[in-house]
Amino acid sequence: MRGRFRLSEVPGVTVGPVPGAGSADVAATAAYRALGSAGLGHLGGRLELRTTGSAPRSSDLARAARRAVAAALAGPHRG
């Protein structure tokens, strides 16, 4: 599973289409918690997760969301 997170100054996290009932909620919650853990809970962004095959497990979605947020925060464009 691959994830991409684009940081935004607008609070909240939106998630692109993810297969499986409730999957978007799981991913958004994990991304928002990752922002909060980084001390940036007042920010938000857009999360895009790509997967092949069947609907991913909730734990895999959460892990991918956290990794995507971490990568976005570590990127050189953050200011």
Side-chain angles (χ1 to χ4, degrees):
M1 180 178 311
R2 300 186 57 94
R4 178 179 174 186
F5 184 75
R6 285 180 266 160
L7 193 60
S8 168
E9 302 227 356
V10 178
V13 174
T14 58
V15 181
V18 179
S23 296
D25 292 336
V26 169
T29 299
Y32 192 71
R33 286 182 179 161
L35 285 171
S37 294
L40 299 170
H42 59 287
L43 298 177
R46 173 141 177 93
L47 177 64
E48 296 175 17
L49 298 173
R50 298 189 192 277
T51 183
T52 56
S54 61
R57 296 179 307 185
S58 294
S59 60
D60 292 337
L61 281 170
R63 189 171 25 260
R66 288 190 302 267
R67 283 193 316 257
V69 170
L73 295 179
H77 58 278
R78 185 170 174 252

